[in-house]
Amino acid sequence: MTTTHTLPSGLVESMSGAGSRAETDLLRGGQLSKRLVQLRAILDLAGQDAPEDAQIAGLRESFAALAAIQRRAPDVVAGLLSGPQAGAWAARCLHRLAGSPSRTPLWIHLAHLGSIALAAAVRSGVDIDVLVPVRTGKVSLPTLGLATVDSGGPWALARAAPGDPVRLDGAKPLDWQPVRALETDAVTVYVDDADAYWTCFGLPVRYQVPGPEIDRWRRHLDGALAVLAERHPDRLAAVTSALQCLVPVDQQGRFAGVSASSAQAPGAVALTEPAGPQRFAATLVHEIQHFRLSALHDLVPVHQMETGPRVYSPWRNDPRGLPGLLHGTYAFLGVADFWSREWPGAGRAAELMYARTLRQLWIARRILATASALTPAGTALAEAVGEQIDRLPETGLSADIRRLAGDLTAHHLALWRLRYAEPDPAEVAAVADAWERGETVAPQGDPLYHTTAESAPGGDSPLFRLATEWVEDPATLTGLAADPVAFAAHCPGANPGDLALLAGDYRKVQAERLADIAAGTTDETGWASLSVAHARLCADPDRSPLAVRPELVRAARDDRRYLPLRDMVSRYITGTSTSDSIRR
């Protein structure tokens, strides 16, 4: 099994655009090459380090069967090996061979190559006979479906051959659940709720989704593709050429709408049932961007191994490595491009989505510009992406939406700093000393790389979820604010005090947060709100550590608890003498 591909000049720079079918074909060819290398590594490592498991699994026989099918139906085998199911299996198998702990026997993973060969045989009409793994009575056949057999234990093997669609140990399965197809005018996408290796997404996959729900997914896909066809034909081409299957995820709570992609399984999107065609279209654009960057990195590395400090990412609640920040920037460039064409006429929530994403991209671009772990190709890509960010329009956004987007972005950054930035003791002492002397002090530097390795809950911030509802219906939220219990049930993680920040009542926010801090009843969220309000009230917020480096002020107060925070805040708002004593 061999394959070759040629990389066109200017490929990296062109990847900052919307994509094309020609690009997808090239990137998928790279995935096929990668999979063949992985397959060779699995055969060699298993033969060298786990020969017994390889023999039990019939690994060599399955490979020989797949090679025989490839000679007769190369397109079928190429499609399977470059697809997300084979990618997820190969990565898991290699991790297991490298010593990754697992409750699943190694021979079960190795035997799955037989399932891939059997799927190829069914699709090509070639007759083979291979061993396939049985997990608690289920046989997963990539891209085909899930068969039920009487195995009598958690792990077993079955002798399998094609036969309407398969025969296992010479008999029909007790039950057969096929992978269902969503056929549209533009593309055929499968809802794959049967594959055994979707654990690569780290999400609770919904297996064996009922037929009526599949019909709803078909309508969702039709609606999303219609949105793309009407206003995003360039994005439509990239989506329909790269997307192969949707993996349903269990819905968890009111705000649990999630989606995910995996570099191990390009072409598959795992997600909860979409909320509407516009949001679904944005999700597809977002995840296709991840596919493109992962596949490009396999062909032309854009960053070095994930080493060095973790950094701030405007889309995450926890510190990220540079690859994560690059992926976020690349994916949300596509999202911003999408919303730049959607928000006019789509409501104020869509306008806010675009305005906030634009500001997040500005921050990310600034961090990437100083990153030393990018390869020359990665630097070229980051520069091309930066040029695309510069072209995103801000004209037309209403003043209150721009204000609110700025506050939300600043709040997220302040909260991240308070959780993860590690203040230099000398800087903390300088702030505290100036504070005691009745002076102001201007912080220097932007230490977004000086972070801890802790993690925070994922998902979007409660404040942003609250804001998207506020801009559409402030009256309802104002009415709920009188009942904190009802408010908490309606807006988990938020509180009525957040409404003053959304409304731009910064003096009220400042007064309430100062009182909370004095009473010892606030956390980093309250400090973040104070930082945002203070920045709005300052004549020169860039010179106030509370506005740009709130972690310094909190640390200084914690170190010398007698320092009057209210006086310090007032000093920066009124603007007394300034000492530039902090240098980096």
Side-chain angles (χ1 to χ4, degrees):
M1 295 183 182
T2 60
T3 184
T4 61
H5 48 261
T6 302
L7 300 183
S9 61
L11 170 65
V12 172
E13 291 80 0
S14 71
M15 291 281 293
S16 65
S20 65
R21 292 186 183 277
E23 175 201 281
T24 301
D25 290 342
L26 174 65
L27 297 179
R28 189 168 291 167
Q31 289 303 298
L32 178 57
S33 295
K34 177 182 178 179
R35 208 73 67 241
L36 294 176
V37 172
Q38 290 177 315
L39 186 52
R40 181 75 261 172
I42 290 169
L43 291 170
D44 291 347
L45 289 172
Q48 174 184 316
D49 300 333
E52 235 181 273
D53 289 282
Q55 185 175 8
I56 293 171
L59 181 64
R60 291 284 173 180
E61 293 81 1
S62 294
F63 177 76
L66 187 62
I69 299 169
Q70 196 262 355
R71 287 190 288 271
R72 295 180 57 178
D75 289 346
V76 170
V77 174
L80 277 169
L81 289 183
S82 64
Q85 294 85 353
W89 163 75
R92 185 69 188 95
C93 209
L94 286 169
H95 285 147
R96 185 69 174 82
L97 284 165
S100 177
S102 174
R103 291 177 293 179
T104 305
L106 176 57
W107 52 267
I108 285 287
H109 292 302
L110 297 176
H112 192 72
L113 182 59
S115 296
I116 295 173
L118 182 60
V122 171
R123 291 193 175 279
S124 62
V126 177
D127 190 26
I128 65 168
D129 183 274
V130 291
L131 288 174
V132 297
V134 184
R135 300 170 173 85
T136 59
K138 303 291 184 182
V139 176
S140 174
L141 301 179
T143 74
L144 292 182
L146 195 66
T148 302
V149 298
D150 185 6
S151 63
W155 317 112
L157 294 172
R159 181 63 62 178
D164 194 29
V166 297
R167 295 184 70 82
L168 300 168
D169 288 332
K172 290 183 176 182
L174 299 177
D175 183 56
W176 173 251
Q177 176 67 57
V179 171
R180 274 73 57 90
L182 307 181
E183 296 182 357
T184 73
D185 292 338
V187 67
T188 296
V189 176
Y190 293 90
V191 176
D192 194 332
D193 55 351
D195 198 83
Y197 287 92
W198 291 144
T199 51
C200 65
F201 294 111
L203 295 171
V205 173
R206 285 202 68 200
Y207 289 100
Q208 297 178 282
V209 174
E213 290 189 33
I214 297 294
D215 291 336
R216 292 206 305 269
W217 282 78
R218 183 177 291 106
R219 293 193 293 272
H220 293 318
L221 183 61
D222 283 337
L225 295 180
V227 169
L228 293 175
E230 183 175 353
R231 289 179 291 279
H232 313 270
D234 49 353
R235 297 285 174 186
L236 177 66
V239 168
T240 55
S241 58
L243 182 64
Q244 298 182 54
C245 64
L246 303 171
V247 181
V249 171
D250 272 334
Q251 184 79 25
Q252 297 181 16
R254 180 182 174 205
F255 295 117
V258 298
S259 69
S261 56
S262 170
Q264 300 172 3
V269 174
L271 72 165
T272 50
E273 187 170 345
Q278 196 176 48
R279 290 298 180 94
F280 191 12
T283 295
L284 293 178
V285 168
H286 176 106
E287 302 302 349
I288 292 302
Q289 289 286 94
H290 283 303
F291 296 163
R292 297 172 67 204
L293 185 54
S294 294
L296 174 67
H297 181 65
D298 286 335
L299 288 175
V300 186
V302 294
H303 57 76
Q304 300 168 14
M305 295 295 290
E306 188 164 343
T307 58
R310 300 171 77 80
V311 301
Y312 173 68
S313 172
W315 305 281
R316 296 281 301 199
N317 296 332
D318 53 354
R320 298 287 283 166
L322 179 67
L325 175 63
L326 182 61
H327 262 278
T329 306
Y330 191 71
F332 278 96
L333 171 61
V335 172
D337 176 60
F338 175 86
W339 286 112
S340 72
R341 290 179 254 178
E342 286 295 308
W343 75 260
R348 286 169 57 79
E351 184 181 1
L352 178 62
M353 178 75 73
Y354 173 63
R356 186 185 71 146
T357 303
L358 187 58
R359 280 151 183 77
Q360 291 170 323
L361 287 169
W362 292 344
I363 295 174
R365 177 186 57 187
R366 176 163 54 88
I367 300 172
L368 284 175
T370 66
S372 60
L374 294 177
T375 65
T379 299
L381 178 64
E383 290 174 353
V385 165
E387 291 174 1
Q388 293 292 341
I389 293 172
D390 288 340
R391 294 189 183 102
L392 291 169
E394 192 183 18
T395 56
L397 292 170
S398 56
D400 65 322
I401 289 293
R402 289 199 304 271
R403 174 196 63 79
L404 185 53
D407 287 349
L408 291 170
T409 308
H411 187 276
H412 187 269
L413 176 55
L415 186 57
W416 186 91
R417 284 188 181 282
L418 289 158
R419 285 175 173 165
Y420 302 115
E422 298 175 346
D424 186 311
E427 293 179 304
V428 174
V431 168
D433 290 345
W435 195 340
E436 288 181 314
R437 294 194 300 266
E439 299 175 350
T440 60
V441 56
Q444 302 295 316
D446 193 16
L448 295 179
Y449 287 85
H450 296 265
T451 69
T452 67
E454 299 175 28
S455 61
D460 215 332
S461 71
L463 185 62
F464 177 69
R465 296 196 297 265
L466 186 69
T468 57
E469 188 168 348
W470 166 264
V471 296
E472 296 281 9
D473 185 14
T476 296
L477 291 179
T478 302
L480 282 172
D483 185 345
V485 174
F487 190 93
H490 186 76
C491 308
N495 66 76
D498 293 329
L499 296 182
L501 185 63
L502 301 184
D505 191 347
Y506 301 117
R507 294 196 180 281
K508 180 178 180 181
V509 173
Q510 178 177 274
E512 291 181 347
R513 298 293 80 79
L514 285 172
D516 292 341
I517 291 170
T521 58
T522 195
D523 56 12
E524 63 265 15
T525 302
W527 273 96
S529 295
L530 175 62
S531 175
V532 174
H534 176 72
R536 288 293 188 181
L537 294 171
C538 279
D540 189 2
D542 289 342
R543 301 188 65 81
S544 168
L546 181 59
V548 296
R549 300 278 301 281
E551 75 279 4
L552 291 179
V553 176
R554 185 181 62 177
R557 185 176 183 276
D558 288 346
D559 186 53
R560 307 178 195 182
R561 293 185 178 276
Y562 59 86
L563 292 176
L565 183 59
R566 190 179 299 274
D567 289 348
M568 183 264 202
V569 167
S570 176
R571 188 177 310 141
Y572 280 93
I573 291 176
T574 57
T576 61
S577 61
T578 299
S579 170
D580 294 330
S581 58
I582 297 183
R583 300 293 182 191
R584 291 191 63 83

